[in-house]
Amino acid sequence: MPELPEVETVRRGLQVQVVGRRITKVEVGRERSVRRTSRAAVIDGLTGATITEVNRRGKYLLCTLDTGDHMMVHLRMSGRLLVAAAGTERPPHTHVVLHLVGEPAQELWFVDPRTFGEVVVFDPLNVAVEMPELAKMGVDPIADGLDRAQFARLLRSRSRQIKALLLDQHVIAGIGNIYCDEALHLAGVRWDRRSDAVTPREITRLHAAIMQVLGDAIEAGGSTLADTQYVGLDGERGWFQLHHRVYDRAGQRCLTCGKADIVKVAVAGRGTHYCPRCQS
DNA sequence: AAACAAACCTGTGCGC
DNA sequence: TGCGCACAGGTTTGTT
């Protein structure tokens, strides 16, 4: 579910509401959410610790603790982080709860119906062993910055369908299905173009489209679809879905040309939305 | 190397 | 109203 803009929105919420507060108690319900390590490792690693910093790399949230350890949270498809007053009734599928000191006392909930997401406490000195995917992650367009020249080099480094390349977290980190389809549409580039055959003019357009879509979506607090799966830390909805031009609009008139209908096809199991007239 | 398909889970929406 | 199937924002693994 959450892509870079949604994760960034959560990160900003954590920055304001959770940084500097000590964790007094930790509850782990479903062990699957902490499967990378163990229930004990997460409870022992977090109890008594204070989160001093919250960073994001791609779709990974990385919290620095005053103990020297780091806490990684990945929301995958259905994960949510929520802050609520201590003692508030918890929603179904609340698998990890961090009790935060303060007045009033609050709790940070990790809620995840599909249980694809995870919470990991690890020693950053052992990152290569405990979180190997972090070392292999590609450039984050927002956190690291991504200029046109570097983007052009990434496109030419492989010969793949452009959509597959943009979704590959080892190449560019943070773009998911929604923002990929939206960026390709804005740039007028079809999903099945070869990455190394995109023209210089198209590279310029696609680079600008990616930066704009991600930036605008962050400003809008991400996209909250009809199922309301994604919400921010306080349960607030994002509104970028109101600006979607192709995602989840199959069969509807293209908002760009006003003449063709949006087509949806399956590409490697992912729904892919595009305008056959605007994108070539 | 690239492109699928399947796997991991649960919930929801749709057609019948 | 109820049932069964398809599908969902992600990522990994295995197979062509």
Side-chain angles (χ1 to χ4, degrees), chain A residues 187-221:
Chain A
V189 175
R190 258 177 70 124
W191 57 272
D192 56 352
R193 291 283 300 284
R194 292 263 124 199
S195 61
D196 58 350
V198 174
T199 68
R201 179 174 296 182
E202 288 171 328
I203 292 175
T204 300
R205 288 208 307 262
L206 189 51
H207 172 255
I210 289 169
M211 301 308 286
Q212 187 188 324
V213 163
L214 294 177
D216 288 353
I218 290 170
E219 278 197 48

Side-chain angles (χ1 to χ4, degrees), chain A residues 17-26 45-52 64-67 71 97-108:
Chain A
Q17 300 206 49
V18 175
V19 163
R21 299 179 68 182
R22 197 163 60 86
I23 299 162
T24 56
K25 182 182 170 191
V26 179
L46 294 178
T47 304
T50 298
I51 297 175
T52 58
T64 305
L65 306 174
D66 65 347
T67 58
M71 173 175 71
V97 175
L98 308 186
H99 294 252
L100 304 172
V101 75
E103 191 56 49
Q106 288 183 309
E107 297 173 1
L108 177 63

